[in-house]
């Protein structure tokens, strides 16, 4: 759909959106530097681009290919091919979505390409001409800025995933429902899909930072090491999200079991209470002729009282436990609130005392 | 059963299906290149082949051996022995089936062999004589084309496996049945069997791409790196299928548990309702002589009403919940549809506004 | 118990079972080659052997030691010490049993030893004198033949384990019983015990094949690579057996759960049907004086019919489902058979047509 | 908030809290050594610091950055950047909390920084001026002392986690309750979060100990190896805590199952006893005219006795088992105590005898 | 508590327990060799020792430190510091207990230290003066003997653990009880704690055997390789014990489930039999006036017979199955015994025949 370019001529002037025919000249200008970003170009345009920058057909094919591919860095004779993924929150069922960005780094040029819009890159394209200092520091630093923007845009999504893990954990403890299971599995699946993108991506940055490639200078390598650290951080967070998903799964499955236990306990209590009582009424419902108790006047009130007392007692016991538990919860919560107030008061007092002691007036 | 060969003479003429006796001459022609593909040859033919290309007895034995073997690359004095597997969808119980392809790469010749027909290779054999350009680029590029065709034929099967994982996941959430378990285990088993083939295969391609072998030129190594990337992609997909199988298994087992919970709940409710009512009828079924309630005219209607009201109430509660759930589903679905329509309308309006603002007429 | 030896003199004559005193001379004969196999020798004999071949005391002690040890290769100043394991099917509770074989390879001699008879080695000892060609190719090729015979004898046992996995899988789906669990665990344990032997064994062969040792020539290294491939194959099969054991375990545990579900369902249905009906009979068993229904002549037939119809209905429903399921099975099976017949007829027709078209007469 | 510094001049005088402007001079004084510790400085102060020690902007940015980052060591042209984590027990829900410490090591200076107060470091800052010997041994030994203080402060927290694991294990065996599950998961989560910090931290110390960096002398490397050993120990303890959490989880889940089993057993026993007895009373509650037993005088006492004996018998059996179990516990505990007393007596006697035999009088 | 030493002077005389002051001389005697073993020495003694052997303060501190530390080998300028663990069976709750042994190896001296008595080392100290040959072979061989004694003492404990695994497996199949779970978890925990000690220990021996250190001669390296093999064996056994613990856990948990299944089945059968029969008696217990069956004389006997036949039939069926199962067990066991006797008879006959055929008289 679009080819955007930013060119800084040897004399320092910055130019936007050069015509395709001018790209080859720009690339060969000694001391100039050019960045071309393509998104969804036609085959014809791609071939023009390939000719302008002398890009190997395999790399060009890779750049055009819309299918998902794993992050990697390939070294060609005159340039580096770096494939990375941005991660943003998905619009569909999944929590996250990854978008590919290819970055080709030549001696004084960078060609980048993606198949769907990447806000981080678009923001960079829009602001760079007004703030062209990075363009003065060589193509490796330019590549660093692009890659850094991409990687920085990953963290907010990961934090969202982390929040989702918080929520899922809380729900597993509170009120486990069927829908929760789907959410837990979605969390684990999303964490693993990000993990599978981040690990090779970290490896790519590691190799860029190690000074393995002639095109990446010593100073730029330091900066790539910084990006590498960010990815290590992302990997840690992703693994922690996955572990929390595992924990929520265990909690959920165990809650299902515990609930079953409670149902069974109620069933056992009801049966153990009413079957014996029914037997009792059954005994005095028998039609034997010689049952002297039937004629005594105090037997029926005694039997009836026994039944009523038992049923009322068990009911109270069952419900009473429930009521006691609720009362206990209330007391505990109140107590905590009280303690927190107390703590705050103590801290406030301590703060006052310190302020007086130091004779300072810091708010 | 068959020996097929394609020979490009030094003068550029392309010839099909040379007699076995002519193979040795073809191989020794300076500037010529020859590809021989064998499938199910006899021992006699194999020996003729071995003599023509001076193939080491171990390699020849390996080529003839119909048993399953793990992908590998072996370096012999005058040629490379590459063993790979194609993956296609199985006809029997299993989702996938792997077929072995051996590729021997000499300085100006390629010998390939398989034990069952490989459509990708047959298609290549049929079309290459009419489009002989790859033959001009050396035996390493010829080997690349063969291996690329094989690897390209893996992806559709993997996508089918992915679709099967989709289906299995959906069924685990909807209506878990006994047959599903067998399907889940089949999915996991198939994913693992592909995984066990793909990992060493990826390793083979990695070594071919690294320029480890003198027979693989620098340019061909670039192309093998491309095939390597495809296998990395296949491995990612396979691992993801396996993970989704695991998720479906968890869902299935949990669904069995939840269903049991519901059965227990119904049992507990029925028991808790009818045992007490039975006790009540048991009480007034006793034969004590002194039971004044029996003589009062309003007791029977009261007891009967109590029983009827309780039974009807519980039944309504149980079924009513069910009905309410259904009603809730309908409302939720309708609401979603409404919201989607609303969203679309808003987007349409926004698009109109943008078009007017920019003064452009892009459809 | 026994020392067996095969000696090929420099002049090509082959001699069996040299006296122990002649071994040192045989070893020092330039151009001769000797293989000594010991099984369960006494300490005295071992010392004679050690003296004859100048074996380091540690190696001699290792050779005599009857305890299980992990496969390994140790390099001594004048020879290689290779420890491997054969795997055959166990006679006791376990599916497999491993037997150790030590192979010492010197410049022109091989000493091998085991503590229980190894059929593969005994067969080799019996046939080698009549077919002495391998003796002409040096001690490394001789060692290869011995090790190859040992490794080849592993595969049948692994295939038996695979068959057992088939059987266990089928039983887990059909009729899960208590004994099955023991069999599944036995399968997993056996797979792991073979796995723990095969992995270091593969490593040993890898090192022999890599040309790491001066005593293993370039040609023999190629042959050891072939043995290495066999062990990779064994490892794949063993891991697959273990995975199938895991799958069978999941199926079994889930089948136990599903069976429990069905028991619960029956219990819930029986309870839900008979408790309400019992309540009904309880109502009309009460002794209130004012129960007008008791005097009406049509109430008893109506109540009785209600009870009978309900009980018969539920019974039919329960059993009817069962009968319908069976009928469904029959129809499905019949249909499959029919389809298979149809398929076969079509294939037969296609075969006939091809035969006619090609004008050939292949049976 | 604060910049603290300790400066040892070439003449051996030690000075505290130099003004920021004097830092650059201190650093360039030949033979002097300076340690600056910053906590929560402003950007302005940071820039002054960066200028004084010629710190690379990336390192300065890293030092100021308050976000969590993984432990690492980066080599810059004139200094080493070491990022580590202290672990102390958390105040909130989590068992542990990690605090970052950055240590920059130059030829004769160390700059350290953290974002929240670290007691170990503060203690060191307070005591070092009075005990300045470590300042005489170079910047690498100074860095060692700082890092050693940090790592030493980890172990008490790990021991607390270990105690928590003890407690959780004991509770899982005694009285499994819902809250326990949350504690188990918290233990596992905390162990994993420490593990994820300790593993890269250990790697950092390994690299410092290996003599990889010119700024770390041979003697200091020995001391870093000692710190490395402490971290290996921490890792062992953390893994063991995690394993014990796993064990407690298994125990807990199994206890839930076993409790359900017991509920079921009681339900089954009650049902099996009372349903048959109820049937018996039901039989003699039928109103058939021809039931001769109803008229016999001994039938009612027999039926009644049968019922009473059965109910009493079953009750005794159920409760009797319980009582027997308790009695068994008492006996077992008593026995153990007795045996321990006996053992102690025997040991005491043995000790006396040894003392007499040796003719010594050691208490 | 004690410093023990064995000194072999250059002239071959062996001396025990040198005074601390003589140690430095002994160490510097050219051609002499000395072994000092310390256990629980005071700081003062340690310092004297350090001075005598010129031990680096860090190593000395490590030697004195009573806390658990991971096995390792550290290279100092003039000696090697080797830290290992012995494993013996624990006296408390745990199956095993590890005891640390530090071994410092100098050019002609060995200093070893532990914090609790190690029987293997004490035995060596007691017997070495009478059998001083190992002292003649250098300090590396002396260190080997000490380490070999320690490692050899591990195996009996591991075998005990293996026996415990046998027992636990058998109990899981026979009569799963609550205590078993604690034993299974103890087995797994013990296996893992030994595993965590053995893996770094194996690594230590690997490095000693690889000839990485100048102080370990080529011959001694061979002997350390032998110790390494023992540790590989220990690791295999420990992993196998852990796996068997896992298997026992699965068996135990599944047995709990199966038992629950059986309880449910009995409950379902009892309910399904007695609820319908109770309904029957309930029908004829109703008080309708128009129930002609009540007046017929054959109805009561028929109903009563129906009830009795059903109850007796079901009871027989339930108990009969049980009795049949027992009978089946008896038959199976008897059959096995018979077959074994038969097999033995056949083997005996075969042995006799072989003896006759070979004309030999081997017992």
């Amino acid at each position: 759909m679009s080819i955007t370019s930013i060119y800084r001529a040897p004399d320092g002037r910055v130019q936007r959106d050069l015509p395709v025919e001018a790209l080859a000249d720009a690339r060969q200008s000694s001391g100039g530097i050019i960045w071309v970003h393509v998104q969804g170009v036609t085959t014809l345009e791609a071939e023009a681009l390939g000719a302008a920058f002398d890009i190997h057909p395999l790399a060009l094919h890779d750049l055009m290919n819309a299918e998902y591919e794993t992050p990697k860095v390939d070294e060609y004779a005159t340039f580096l091919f770096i494939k990375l993924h941005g991660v943003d929150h998905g619009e569909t069922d999944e929590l996250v979505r990854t978008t590919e960005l290819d970055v080709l780094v030549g001696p004084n040029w960078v060609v980048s390409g993606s198949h769907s819009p990447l806000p981080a890159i678009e923001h960079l394209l829009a602001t760079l001409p007004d703030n062209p200092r990075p363009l003065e520091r060589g193509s490796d630093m330019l590549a660093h800025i692009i890659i850094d923007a991409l990687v920085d845009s990953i963290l907010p999504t990961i934090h969202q995933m982390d929040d989702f893990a918080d929520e899922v954990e809380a729900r597993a403890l509170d009120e486990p429902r069927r829908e929760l299971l789907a959410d837990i599995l979605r969390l684990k699946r999303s964490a693993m899909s990000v993990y599978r993108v981040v690990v090779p991506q970290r490896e790519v940055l590691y190799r860029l930072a190690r000074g393995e490639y002639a095109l990446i200078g010593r100073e730029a390598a330091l900066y790539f090491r910084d990006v590498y650290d960010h990815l290590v951080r992302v990997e840690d967070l992703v693994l922690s999200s996955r572990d929390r998903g595992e924990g929520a799964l265990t909690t959920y499955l165990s809650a299902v079991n515990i609930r079953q236990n409670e149902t069974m306990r109620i069933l056992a209590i009801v049966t153990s209470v009413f079957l014996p009582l029914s037997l009792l009424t059954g005994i005095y419902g028998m039609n034997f002729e010689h049952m002297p108790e039937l004629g005594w006047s105090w037997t029926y009130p005694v039997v009836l009282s026994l039944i009523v007392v038992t049923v009322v007692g068990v009911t109270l016991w069952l419900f009473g436990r429930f009521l006691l538990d609720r009362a206990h919860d209330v007391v505990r919560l109140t107590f905590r609130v009280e303690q927190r107030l107390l703590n705050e008061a103590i801290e406030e007092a301590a703060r006052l005392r310190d302020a007086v002691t130091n004779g300072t007036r810091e708010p």
Side-chain angles (χ1 to χ4, degrees), chain A:
Chain A
M1 215 77 110
S2 75
I3 300 189
T4 325
S5 58
I6 299 177
Y7 172 58
R8 185 186 178 277
D11 59 4
R13 274 179 311 119
V14 173
Q15 215 175 328
R16 276 195 69 114
D17 292 340
L18 269 67
V20 172
E21 305 79 41
L23 291 175
D25 288 342
R27 169 193 153 222
Q28 277 148 11
S29 68
S30 141
I33 185 165
I34 180 155
W35 172 22
V36 181
H37 180 74
V38 300
Q39 187 200 316
V41 291
T42 62
T43 313
L44 221 74
E45 290 170 316
E47 274 169 17
L49 199 72
F53 289 98
D54 194 17
I55 300 175
H56 192 281
L58 263 178
L60 203 63
H61 177 258
D62 221 347
L63 182 67
M64 301 297 299
N65 181 11
E67 273 184 29
Y68 172 97
E69 280 192 79
T70 310
K72 61 167 182 176
V73 54
D74 285 346
E75 192 168 20
Y76 286 89
T78 58
F79 61 92
L80 282 181
F81 187 104
I82 304 167
K83 189 184 283 295
L84 296 170
H85 286 257
V87 178
D88 51 279
H89 58 98
E91 287 163 0
T92 58
D93 245 20
E94 297 305 303
L95 294 175
V96 296
R97 196 187 47 172
T98 67
T99 318
E100 214 168 300
L101 176 74
D102 296 335
V103 181
L104 286 75
V105 188
N108 67 335
W109 53 271
V110 170
V111 170
S112 60
S114 71
H115 289 277
S116 42
L118 278 160
I121 301 306
E122 276 167 18
H123 180 254
L124 198 62
L125 281 170
T127 57
L128 198 57
D130 302 327
N131 181 18
R133 267 203 50 208
L135 291 171
E136 297 160 21
R137 305 175 69 184
S139 65
D140 48 359
M141 285 304 287
L142 178 56
H144 161 259
I145 284 172
I146 298 169
I147 290 170
D148 194 36
L150 184 78
V151 169
D152 274 357
S153 74
I154 293 180
L155 220 60
T157 310
I158 303 300
H159 281 305
Q160 278 189 349
M161 199 163 80
D162 217 46
D163 294 347
F164 190 70
D166 280 347
E167 185 205 321
V168 154
E169 267 183 340
R171 280 162 62 197
L173 276 171
D174 288 358
E175 175 73 4
R177 301 192 58 176
R178 183 82 180 267
E179 294 82 41
L180 178 59
L181 184 59
D183 278 350
I184 292 173
L185 293 175
R186 207 161 67 181
L187 174 62
K188 284 177 62 184
R189 205 166 47 226
S190 299
M192 285 322 289
S193 88
V194 175
Y195 181 74
R196 272 204 216 97
V197 162
V198 166
V199 168
Q201 194 136 320
R202 181 170 59 74
E203 181 64 16
V204 165
L205 266 304
Y206 180 70
R207 295 173 67 187
L208 292 176
R210 204 171 49 182
E212 197 174 301
Y213 303 107
L215 278 165
I216 307 292
R218 202 176 147 70
E219 181 72 10
L222 281 183
Y223 282 89
F224 280 118
R225 199 163 64 184
D226 190 52
V227 181
Y228 169 79
D229 289 344
H230 289 161
L231 284 173
V232 169
R233 168 89 183 108
V234 166
E235 194 183 325
D236 273 12
L237 279 170
V238 163
L239 284 179
S240 145
S241 288
R242 191 204 52 185
D243 286 359
R244 292 164 74 191
E246 292 279 354
L249 186 60
T250 307
T251 308
Y252 170 77
L253 293 176
S254 144
V256 168
N257 259 358
I258 285 175
R259 180 160 297 189
Q260 185 160 338
N261 255 7
E262 284 165 12
T263 311
M264 295 289 301
R265 244 190 70 241
I266 288 174
L267 179 63
I269 289 172
V270 167
T271 306
S272 304
V273 167
F274 285 97
L275 277 193
L277 294 180
S278 280
L279 177 65
L280 191 68
T281 65
I283 290 171
Y284 294 110
M286 292 193 292
N287 297 322
F288 289 110
E289 284 171 20
H290 303 278
M291 294 177 71
E293 303 97 310
L294 295 184
W296 304 341
S297 67
W298 55 267
T299 40
Y300 173 59
V302 163
V303 165
L304 193 62
S305 310
L306 183 66
I307 290 174
V308 169
V309 165
T310 307
V311 169
V312 169
V314 167
T315 310
L316 271 186
W317 181 54
L318 281 179
F319 276 81
R321 257 180 83 137
F322 179 79
L323 288 174
L324 271 177
D325 282 1
R326 287 297 80 71
H328 184 234
D329 288 357
V330 169
V331 168
R332 206 170 48 184
L333 279 172
T334 319
F335 180 70
R336 276 193 191 173
V337 170
E338 292 291 337
Q339 199 172 38
R340 198 182 310 141
L341 289 177
L342 200 63
N343 289 344
E344 282 170 9
I346 291 172
E347 278 169 24
E348 188 55 40
R351 221 173 293 134
L352 270 174
R353 192 200 51 206
D354 293 355
V356 170
T357 314
N358 302 337
T360 61
R361 279 275 172 273
E362 294 177 57

